[in-house]
Amino acid sequence: MMEFLAMGGYAPYVWGSYLVMAGLLVVEMLQLRFRRRSLMDWIRRMARLRVQEENQ
Amino acid sequence: MSERGIQWFRFTAPANFYDLAGRLIPWFAALTIALFGVGLYMGLVVAPSDYQQGDSYRIIYIHVPTAWMGMFLYVLMAIYAAIGLIWRIKIAEIMAKSIAPTGALFTFLALWTGALWGRPTWGVFWVWDARLTSMLLLLFLYLGYMALHAAIDDRQRASNASAVLAMVGVVNVPIIYFSVHWWNTLHQGASITVTEAPTMAMIMFVTLMIMVLATWVYSIAVVLARARVELLERERTARWVQERLEGERR
């Protein structure tokens, strides 16, 4: 296991590449999910307001 | 009147695009996980060390796919931008805008992994050779496209102006591709070409192709997901949006 993590002495370069890529892809997906959720909440709130106005 | 005549245009209608993309995304997401799983296992565990570069060569399993995707996504973005500019197809404009962040991300990752590969292999993180410099220019083109989109308030004008930038910038992609032939670069030439057998071991080639496929399906899933959000933002007052919100979870 330690041998695997050491990557033949190139650990900082190999893991520095793979982990940064993994991290950035996760950030991209989370950012997209957050953006979608806040937009959905906004649309729902507007729909509720419209219903309230129609009922008054 | 028969509706059959307009069937070809069905998926350009916003609501249909939204539904189709929503059905496709889970499949591409599942494929992404499977391909990255197999590709990472083969690239980091199964494939042997390189006899010259040791284990540092394993960086190419993400360097090459991200570089290819960065270039390919730019061409695709320019094509969608052109279609949107010429034929005023809303979905094409949305696709162009949705591709940009993912393309920029992959271009950045190609530069980043290239620097981390170059340090142990060439002795330097960065040189101003033709391949590296033109790739950096690609990143700036992506960022410029996104900044221009964000800087103009009027949606149609933003779309038109950034479409022109995307189309002009596409000239950079063949420059990147042929830079290793046209100039003396520190960057090596292509190991994989359409016309000749790859100059690398079979296990390495197969692993690389799996990683390329993984970045492909990841890009498709994430760009479609972003296009759906863009579409919702533009059409948030439309009736089809209201209809779909009833049945959909958060």
Side-chain angles (χ1 to χ4, degrees):
Chain A
M1 188 65 192
M2 285 315 286
E3 197 188 322
F4 172 69
L5 289 177
M7 276 292 151
Y10 293 108
Y13 304 107
V14 174
W15 298 121
S17 297
Y18 278 85
L19 292 181
V20 166
M21 176 162 173
L24 287 181
L25 296 193
V26 168
V27 166
E28 185 182 26
M29 290 185 283
L30 287 179
Q31 187 268 345
L32 200 53
R33 163 177 272 188
F34 177 77
R35 191 175 151 199
R36 179 178 172 80
R37 283 189 176 179
S38 46
L39 176 65
M40 295 289 239
D41 286 346
W42 186 90
I43 296 173
R44 281 210 182 83
R45 216 159 42 235
M46 289 299 130
R48 266 201 307 277
L49 278 175
R50 210 170 19 252
V51 172
Q52 276 173 12
E53 275 174 14
E54 279 162 13
N55 289 345
Q56 275 171 7
Chain B
M1 206 172 106
S2 167
E3 282 186 13
R4 204 161 283 168
I6 58 164
Q7 286 288 309
W8 288 104
F9 297 101
R10 268 196 64 195
F11 291 123
T12 59
N16 291 321
F17 174 87
Y18 185 86
D19 291 342
L20 178 71
R23 278 201 301 274
L24 290 176
I25 288 167
W27 293 98
F28 284 107
L31 268 177
T32 303
I33 294 167
L35 286 168
F36 267 128
V38 174
L40 288 174
Y41 179 69
M42 285 179 71
L44 291 171
V45 182
V46 178
S49 304
D50 186 74
Y51 79 103
Q52 277 180 322
Q53 300 177 18
D55 283 317
S56 71
Y57 96 95
R58 295 185 196 277
I59 294 171
I60 67 146
Y61 292 132
I62 51 179
H63 176 68
V64 171
T66 51
W68 281 0
M69 277 323 285
M71 290 161 69
F72 175 76
L73 285 177
Y74 192 92
V75 175
L76 198 62
M77 179 180 87
I79 291 172
Y80 274 123
I83 292 172
L85 186 66
I86 296 165
W87 287 291
R88 298 258 158 269
I89 296 174
K90 194 189 295 173
I91 300 293
E93 292 174 5
I94 288 172
M95 282 301 283
K97 195 184 173 200
S98 301
I99 286 170
T102 302
L105 177 66
F106 279 132
T107 306
F108 170 78
L109 283 170
L111 291 165
W112 176 264
T113 55
L116 285 178
W117 179 83
R119 179 70 183 130
T121 315
W122 299 337
V124 286
F125 284 111
W126 183 263
V127 283
W128 290 102
D129 90 349
R131 172 56 72 81
L132 278 68
T133 309
S134 53
M135 200 65 188
L136 184 65
L137 184 62
L138 185 72
L139 178 62
F140 291 155
L141 281 168
Y142 274 122
L143 297 180
Y145 174 89
M146 287 155 68
L148 191 58
H149 233 299
I152 303 174
D153 284 332
D154 182 82
R155 184 169 284 150
Q156 195 58 58
R157 286 169 60 104
S159 224
N160 292 353
S162 50
V164 173
L165 175 66
M167 286 155 65
V168 172
V170 88
V171 73
N172 187 40
V173 174
I175 293 178
I176 298 172
Y177 187 78
F178 292 111
S179 58
V180 287
H181 296 289
W182 292 343
W183 294 284
N184 261 320
T185 56
L186 187 54
H187 196 286
Q188 68 201 60
S191 303
I192 300 161
T193 56
V194 182
T195 46
E196 288 162 55
T199 56
M200 57 165 70
M202 203 50 182
I203 174 88
M204 295 179 183
F205 176 73
V206 170
T207 306
L208 188 56
M209 288 303 113
I210 291 171
M211 291 299 281
V212 168
L213 276 178
T215 53
W216 256 94
V217 290
Y218 171 84
S219 302
I220 294 171
V222 117
V223 167
L224 283 180
R226 189 179 290 111
R228 281 182 105 213
V229 178
E230 289 282 344
L231 192 59
L232 273 186
E233 264 175 20
R234 292 191 184 208
E235 304 259 310
R236 54 194 165 199
T237 52
R239 195 197 297 166
W240 68 266
V241 173
Q242 307 298 335
E243 284 169 10
R244 273 154 187 81
L245 273 181
E246 308 301 323
E248 211 168 321
R249 61 185 161 76
R250 276 168 50 92

